[in-house]
């Protein structure tokens, strides 16, 4: 029975991680921050914040959400904090989305076959 409890806890942890990933990615500013880091990894917080029309404290809150979701790591050298993209949590999210892509692909293929059969029947 102990292994079942362990499995249940692991599933709940994975669900919580997936929830944090999707929640972090739901905000356009956070997605833009990640896109910027994908192009220029290792930017300082102030460099990363420059193009955004929001305050530095607002950017810091966004970075905290990304960090809590595991999508961002920060390193400190002296007084400079640099941000680094960690795309690993997105892999699990992509796997979750891929299951539903297969679902809809099968449904749309079936609809296409039905429509094609009807077209041939009318011709």
């Amino acid at each position: 029975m102990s292994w079942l409890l362990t499995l249940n806890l692991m599933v709940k942890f994975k669900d919580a991680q997936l929830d944090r990933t999707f929640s972090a990615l739901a905000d356009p500013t956070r997605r833009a921050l990640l896109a910027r880091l994908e192009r220029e990894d290792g930017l300082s917080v102030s460099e990363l914040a420059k193009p955004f029309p929001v305050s530095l404290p607002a950017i810091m809150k966004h970075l905290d959400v990304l960090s809590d979701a595991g999508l961002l790591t920060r390193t400190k050298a002296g007084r400079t904090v640099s941000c680094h993209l960690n795309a690993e949590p997105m892999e699990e999210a992509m796997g979750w989305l891929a299951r539903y892509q297969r679902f809809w692909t099968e449904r749309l293929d079936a609809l296409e076959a039905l429509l094609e059969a009807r077209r041939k029947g009318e011709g």
Side-chain angles (χ1 to χ4, degrees):
M1 192 72 154
S2 154
W3 66 270
L4 187 58
L5 179 61
T6 302
L7 181 62
N8 191 26
L9 290 173
M10 288 173 54
V11 168
K12 284 184 180 183
F13 173 78
K14 286 190 122 211
D15 286 348
Q17 176 61 48
L18 191 59
D19 291 347
R20 282 193 303 274
T21 300
F22 279 122
S23 181
L25 294 174
D27 184 87
T29 300
R30 291 193 286 267
R31 290 193 307 271
L33 288 165
L34 291 175
R36 186 120 191 268
L37 287 173
E38 191 269 328
R39 291 188 308 272
E40 303 175 72
D41 196 38
L43 291 174
S44 70
V45 170
S46 58
E47 290 172 321
L48 190 56
K50 270 184 195 170
F52 295 94
V54 295
S55 68
L56 186 58
I59 292 294
M60 294 296 292
K61 287 181 183 180
H62 285 299
L63 295 178
D64 287 343
V65 171
L66 292 169
S67 182
D68 289 345
L71 295 165
L72 174 88
T73 59
R74 293 180 246 197
T75 56
K76 189 171 184 179
R79 295 179 61 192
T80 304
V81 176
S82 297
C83 298
H84 305 276
L85 174 67
N86 178 26
E88 192 174 310
M90 287 187 236
E91 186 176 347
E92 184 180 347
M94 291 298 296
W96 187 88
L97 290 169
R99 289 195 311 257
Y100 293 95
Q101 179 184 10
R102 284 190 299 273
F103 170 83
W104 284 109
T105 300
E106 290 171 8
R107 299 296 190 283
L108 292 172
D109 288 348
L111 177 60
E112 182 180 24
L114 177 66
L115 291 173
E116 186 63 30
R118 285 187 180 177
R119 271 186 249 148
K120 287 181 180 179
E122 290 175 1

